[in-house]
Amino acid sequence: MAEASRTSEARRDAVFGRWVIFSPARSRRPTDLKSHAPANPSPGAPKPSCPFCLGRESECAPEIFRMPAPPDASPWRIRVIENLYPALRRDAEPPAPEEQAAEVLPGERAVVGFGFHDVVIETPRHDVRLWDLDADGVADVLLAYARRVRQLMEHPAVKYVQVFKNHGASAGASMAHSHSQMLGTPFVPPSVITRLNCMKEVFKSLGKCSLCEFQSNDILVSETQNFSAVVPFAASNPFEIWIIPLRHHPFFHEIDKDMALDLGSLLRTMLQKLSKQLNDPPFNFMIHSSPFEVSSSPLPYTHWFLQIVPQLSVTGGFEIGSGCYINPVFPEDAAKILRELHCSI
């Protein structure tokens, strides 16, 4: 269907349970949509003030672990460190079990701000972005995530770990040096509960997992042996991409080296495509996994995936007030553009 003849359409997402209004009249042609945020250029030469750069390790918060580089290269290729300005504090007293159990009860409550807030420095070089690394380099970053998540799950008070990356100041990045973060919380975040409940209802109604049945050629961008990259049927943002394991599995942190290499190659390609098509936009990506203490019963409908959200517009009053989104680009159009876009690998 030609873009000019399309009318608005509302779609309900089968993973988060939210409604999205697709309104192509609110934008120019999808191919004209570009980032107009402050430029996010390649970070350039090392900055005298950047504590993430090689040789300035002593200026950072304590190191948790590092992944060493080959003997003839730099002393490290990835470092996982504590966040110098943590949202939650690892030295705080963990909430008592009865306080953690209270999260399911209605009404207001407060617990001690205990938790873990870590930073993953993805490269020692200031002038390299995540998608500038080769597939093995991106895979190593993913394996560092998984290793740290497995460490955090050993703490009895940690119920969930959110892994995320902010790129660009308007997407929440305070440092230009390529890095990502993770927060281990003593509660299961509300959006995770909503996601699991929505997928549970789909499973009860249709007898299948929302993401196992997600594949469609119209929204497919790329596929590997183990993963599909799609623009979701009810994408909340223009050119949003989900990378979904083809094999049903609830936990990201159980990824192995071969899977990480496959995912690293695909993630790298998707970030390159977004950068080329959208003028290096600010973006966030999040890994949506399952809570550590998930029982055996939710496993048929819990399925982890990675979500990439380019930040091309400002969230307004309608979105905040209603919980719905307005997207000017139909997923099928965005997927076609990204599918046909070639990047130098």
Side-chain angles (χ1 to χ4, degrees), residues 157-177:
V158 174
K159 292 192 172 184
Y160 190 78
V161 176
Q162 180 63 65
V163 179
F164 63 97
K165 178 177 176 66
N166 303 331
H167 171 72
S170 60
S174 58
M175 301 283 289
H177 194 121

Side-chain angles (χ1 to χ4, degrees), residues 35 43 97 106 113 129 131 149 170 221 243 278 281 286 315 339:
S35 171
R129 301 164 301 186
W131 58 97
V149 173
S170 60
V221 179
I243 300 179
L278 303 176
M286 295 71 62
T315 300
R339 189 166 56 242

Side-chain angles (χ1 to χ4, degrees), residues 18-340:
R18 60 195 174 198
W19 283 92
V20 180
I21 298 170
F22 291 92
S23 181
R26 294 175 61 86
S27 179
R28 297 171 293 177
R29 293 177 301 173
T31 51
D32 293 335
L33 193 63
K34 307 287 183 183
S35 171
H36 299 291
N40 293 307
S42 180
K47 304 292 184 183
S49 60
C50 178
F52 290 174
C53 285
L54 182 67
R56 305 195 61 189
E57 293 83 358
S58 63
E59 300 176 31
C60 292
E63 180 179 295
I64 299 167
F65 66 83
R66 66 174 59 188
M67 300 183 76
D72 58 344
S74 64
W76 55 272
R77 67 185 188 278
I78 297 167
R79 294 179 70 228
V80 179
I81 64 172
E82 298 180 12
N83 194 309
L84 193 60
Y85 307 103
L88 295 170
R89 302 197 64 89
R90 68 195 72 220
D91 57 354
E93 185 70 22
E98 58 270 20
E99 291 179 305
Q100 289 184 303
E103 70 178 70
V104 300
L105 300 175
E108 297 178 347
R109 59 187 37 82
V111 297
V112 175
F114 162 82
F116 293 84
H117 192 175
D118 300 332
V119 175
V120 180
I121 306 173
E122 300 157 354
T123 169
R125 292 182 52 179
H126 196 88
D127 60 343
V128 171
R129 301 164 301 186
L130 180 61
W131 58 97
D132 294 326
L133 299 173
D134 59 18
D136 288 284
V138 181
D140 285 340
V141 172
L142 296 168
L143 290 170
Y145 295 163
R147 175 179 170 183
R148 183 56 180 156
V149 173
R150 290 194 299 269
Q151 290 176 348
L152 291 173
M153 73 179 293
E154 296 299 318
H155 196 292
V158 174
K159 292 192 172 184
Y160 190 78
V161 176
Q162 180 63 65
V163 179
F164 63 97
K165 178 177 176 66
N166 303 331
H167 171 72
S170 60
S174 58
M175 301 283 289
H177 194 121
S178 192
H179 69 287
S180 36
Q181 302 179 63
M182 55 182 69
L183 267 164
T185 62
F187 52 84
V188 180
S191 65
V192 177
I193 295 173
T194 298
R195 168 167 55 89
L196 296 181
N197 286 340
C198 179
M199 295 180 75
K200 179 180 179 180
E201 290 305 311
V202 171
F203 185 81
K204 287 171 60 177
S205 176
L206 303 179
K208 56 189 178 183
C209 166
S210 302
L211 291 175
C212 288
E213 300 295 327
F214 208 85
Q215 317 311 320
S216 165
N217 287 335
D218 290 336
I219 60 174
L220 181 68
V221 179
S222 185
E223 193 168 59
T224 68
Q225 181 180 354
N226 299 294
F227 296 93
S228 287
V230 303
V231 178
F233 170 78
S236 58
N237 291 270
F239 293 91
E240 177 178 336
I241 295 173
W242 292 8
I243 300 179
I244 306 167
L246 297 177
R247 181 172 67 89
H248 182 88
H249 202 286
F251 297 113
F252 161 76
H253 64 262
E254 295 180 354
I255 192 170
D256 62 24
K257 188 173 183 179
D258 289 339
M259 290 279 286
L261 183 59
D262 199 23
L263 176 58
S265 177
L266 185 57
L267 174 59
R268 176 177 181 261
T269 301
M270 293 303 102
L271 294 178
Q272 287 178 340
K273 283 177 177 282
L274 291 176
S275 180
K276 183 175 181 179
Q277 175 62 36
L278 303 176
N279 189 32
D280 191 15
F283 68 82
N284 308 97
F285 77 55
M286 295 71 62
I287 295 176
H288 299 288
S289 192
S290 297
F292 297 144
E293 296 181 359
V294 69
S295 66
S296 59
S297 58
L299 296 183
Y301 57 80
T302 58
H303 193 145
W304 78 266
F305 67 102
L306 188 152
Q307 177 188 24
I308 310 171
V309 181
Q311 298 297 341
L312 300 172
S313 58
V314 177
T315 300
F318 173 76
E319 289 85 355
I320 296 172
S322 67
C324 302
Y325 291 80
I326 299 176
N327 187 340
V329 182
F330 275 92
E332 294 81 2
D333 296 330
K336 183 176 187 295
I337 292 166
L338 293 172
R339 189 166 56 242
E340 296 176 351

